[in-house]
Amino acid sequence: GFRAGGVMHIYQRTISGFNLFYSLTDFLVFYTIVSSQARKLKLCLLGMCLMIDHVHFLAFPDNLKQLSRFMSACTSLYVREFNAKTGRTGCLFEPRYGSAVKMDSKKIRSAIAYLFNNPVEKLLCRRAEEYRWNFLAYLLDRHPFSVQKPLSSCSERLRKAVHEVRRCHDVDHYLSYAQLRRLMNNLNNDEKEMLTDYIINIYWPFDKELL
């Protein structure tokens, strides 16, 4: 379905409706994998929505090979991380992702609305901005789910976590389960929310202006 100049709506489901995301770290591992791979492959992403058992992307790829490499890398890396954490083996995603090309302005706007409103349609929230993992709230506010304050006034453990996240981002490394568990382990709930908002902001993979 690829056509040059078109926006692609991509969706990837799990086998047998298997749940992908059980915890905050599940979401963050997948998100940082997506971000690092989009940067490496220079893929223009417009948006993403992480649901419990499937994911949606809106992308503006240069060609089909670029998109296929991106989807293959994201799913294989996450399966490797998820299986190592849970002790399971085998596939997690369906063998092929689905995609549909959107060419005209009306269809592109409809696809954007569909992506952001997916959690509302699935009754996970009342308003699309309330769902963290469609990332809509971050288009309006850099700290939508945490209290904003200067890093200098935060605890030493949070400052160290922020510095480590920044180093990983700067070399295009995603955050692993082991790393996230260690970073989050000694933080209180407010600090975990602050670190999560920071991770989403620094790993931000979407072209906000084009969207």
Tab-separated table of all heavy atoms in Angstrom, residues 9 19 54 60 66 81 95 109 140 148 150 156 162 164 184 189 197:
chain	number	residue	atom	x	y	z
A	9	HIS	N	-0.644	4.710	7.895
A	9	HIS	CA	-1.170	4.238	9.181
A	9	HIS	C	-0.758	2.777	9.324
A	9	HIS	O	-1.162	1.934	8.529
A	9	HIS	CB	-2.692	4.369	9.225
A	9	HIS	CG	-3.298	3.750	10.449
A	9	HIS	ND1	-4.537	3.163	10.456
A	9	HIS	CD2	-2.819	3.624	11.721
A	9	HIS	CE1	-4.807	2.704	11.662
A	9	HIS	NE2	-3.771	2.969	12.442
A	19	ASN	N	-1.318	-9.716	25.757
A	19	ASN	CA	-1.079	-8.361	26.245
A	19	ASN	C	0.401	-7.994	26.123
A	19	ASN	O	1.275	-8.772	26.497
A	19	ASN	CB	-1.519	-8.217	27.698
A	19	ASN	CG	-3.012	-8.075	27.832
A	19	ASN	OD1	-3.736	-8.067	26.838
A	19	ASN	ND2	-3.498	-7.979	29.048
A	54	HIS	N	-1.975	-4.051	21.137
A	54	HIS	CA	-1.564	-3.677	19.792
A	54	HIS	C	-1.036	-2.244	19.802
A	54	HIS	O	-1.207	-1.519	20.785
A	54	HIS	CB	-2.719	-3.811	18.786
A	54	HIS	CG	-3.854	-2.862	19.010
A	54	HIS	ND1	-4.790	-3.038	20.001
A	54	HIS	CD2	-4.201	-1.713	18.376
A	54	HIS	CE1	-5.672	-2.049	19.967
A	54	HIS	NE2	-5.328	-1.230	18.986
A	60	PHE	N	5.672	8.866	7.881
A	60	PHE	CA	5.839	9.481	6.569
A	60	PHE	C	7.143	8.931	5.994
A	60	PHE	O	8.166	9.625	5.952
A	60	PHE	CB	5.879	10.998	6.744
A	60	PHE	CG	5.701	11.780	5.470
A	60	PHE	CD1	4.562	11.643	4.693
A	60	PHE	CD2	6.684	12.668	5.056
A	60	PHE	CE1	4.402	12.367	3.530
A	60	PHE	CE2	6.533	13.401	3.892
A	60	PHE	CZ	5.392	13.251	3.128
A	66	GLN	N	12.460	1.183	4.177
A	66	GLN	CA	12.728	1.906	5.422
A	66	GLN	C	11.692	1.562	6.482
A	66	GLN	O	12.023	1.303	7.645
A	66	GLN	CB	12.720	3.413	5.140
A	66	GLN	CG	12.991	4.282	6.352
A	66	GLN	CD	12.664	5.741	6.080
A	66	GLN	OE1	11.668	6.055	5.421
A	66	GLN	NE2	13.500	6.638	6.569
A	81	GLU	N	13.609	-8.290	24.660
A	81	GLU	CA	13.588	-7.732	26.002
A	81	GLU	C	12.458	-8.347	26.843
A	81	GLU	O	12.656	-8.738	27.990
A	81	GLU	CB	13.407	-6.209	25.934
A	81	GLU	CG	14.647	-5.450	25.542
A	81	GLU	CD	15.639	-5.340	26.687
A	81	GLU	OE1	15.209	-5.351	27.864
A	81	GLU	OE2	16.847	-5.251	26.412
A	95	PRO	N	2.997	-12.195	12.477
A	95	PRO	CA	4.143	-12.168	11.556
A	95	PRO	C	4.210	-10.921	10.684
A	95	PRO	O	5.298	-10.472	10.330
A	95	PRO	CB	3.922	-13.417	10.692
A	95	PRO	CG	3.079	-14.313	11.519
A	95	PRO	CD	2.194	-13.413	12.328
A	109	ARG	N	-6.149	13.672	8.186
A	109	ARG	CA	-6.700	14.216	9.439
A	109	ARG	C	-7.548	13.166	10.160
A	109	ARG	O	-7.522	13.073	11.390
A	109	ARG	CB	-7.525	15.474	9.158
A	109	ARG	CG	-6.705	16.664	8.688
A	109	ARG	CD	-7.470	17.977	8.863
A	109	ARG	NE	-8.782	17.936	8.237
A	109	ARG	CZ	-9.015	18.259	6.972
A	109	ARG	NH1	-7.997	18.622	6.192
A	109	ARG	NH2	-10.228	18.220	6.475
A	140	LEU	N	0.911	19.448	24.180
A	140	LEU	CA	0.377	20.643	24.822
A	140	LEU	C	1.183	21.066	26.042
A	140	LEU	O	1.156	22.233	26.436
A	140	LEU	CB	-1.082	20.381	25.243
A	140	LEU	CG	-1.994	19.773	24.160
A	140	LEU	CD1	-3.343	19.392	24.757
A	140	LEU	CD2	-2.175	20.746	23.010
A	148	GLN	N	6.349	20.014	37.729
A	148	GLN	CA	7.554	20.573	37.122
A	148	GLN	C	8.328	21.372	38.159
A	148	GLN	O	7.776	22.244	38.832
A	148	GLN	CB	7.179	21.476	35.946
A	148	GLN	CG	8.377	22.037	35.207
A	148	GLN	CD	7.968	22.897	34.026
A	148	GLN	OE1	6.784	23.144	33.818
A	148	GLN	NE2	8.939	23.363	33.263
A	150	PRO	N	12.794	22.641	39.024
A	150	PRO	CA	14.173	22.581	38.531
A	150	PRO	C	14.878	21.306	38.990
A	150	PRO	O	14.683	20.847	40.117
A	150	PRO	CB	14.821	23.824	39.164
A	150	PRO	CG	13.691	24.716	39.514
A	150	PRO	CD	12.530	23.838	39.845
A	156	GLU	N	19.210	13.639	44.762
A	156	GLU	CA	20.404	13.197	44.038
A	156	GLU	C	20.102	11.961	43.201
A	156	GLU	O	20.591	11.830	42.071
A	156	GLU	CB	21.532	12.902	45.024
A	156	GLU	CG	22.831	12.488	44.342
A	156	GLU	CD	23.952	12.216	45.325
A	156	GLU	OE1	23.716	12.324	46.545
A	156	GLU	OE2	25.065	11.875	44.865
A	162	VAL	N	18.311	10.994	35.658
A	162	VAL	CA	18.142	11.873	34.501
A	162	VAL	C	19.425	11.917	33.673
A	162	VAL	O	19.382	11.824	32.435
A	162	VAL	CB	17.738	13.290	34.966
A	162	VAL	CG1	17.913	14.307	33.838
A	162	VAL	CG2	16.289	13.292	35.452
A	164	GLU	N	21.762	9.640	33.441
A	164	GLU	CA	21.974	8.361	32.767
A	164	GLU	C	21.057	8.219	31.553
A	164	GLU	O	21.479	7.740	30.495
A	164	GLU	CB	21.747	7.202	33.731
A	164	GLU	CG	22.030	5.853	33.103
A	164	GLU	CD	22.031	4.715	34.103
A	164	GLU	OE1	22.240	4.972	35.312
A	164	GLU	OE2	21.829	3.560	33.674
A	184	MET	N	14.418	3.312	38.561
A	184	MET	CA	13.161	3.607	39.249
A	184	MET	C	13.128	3.081	40.680
A	184	MET	O	12.300	3.512	41.487
A	184	MET	CB	11.984	2.983	38.476
A	184	MET	CG	11.754	3.550	37.090
A	184	MET	SD	10.876	5.127	37.172
A	184	MET	CE	10.500	5.394	35.420
A	189	ASN	N	6.902	7.931	44.173
A	189	ASN	CA	5.944	7.993	43.063
A	189	ASN	C	6.047	9.290	42.268
A	189	ASN	O	5.972	9.282	41.032
A	189	ASN	CB	4.521	7.797	43.585
A	189	ASN	CG	4.254	6.364	44.008
A	189	ASN	OD1	4.924	5.439	43.551
A	189	ASN	ND2	3.283	6.164	44.890
A	197	ASP	N	8.093	11.485	32.490
A	197	ASP	CA	7.879	12.630	31.606
A	197	ASP	C	9.186	13.075	30.960
A	197	ASP	O	9.215	13.447	29.775
A	197	ASP	CB	7.262	13.804	32.383
A	197	ASP	CG	5.754	13.686	32.523
A	197	ASP	OD1	5.164	12.775	31.910
A	197	ASP	OD2	5.159	14.512	33.250
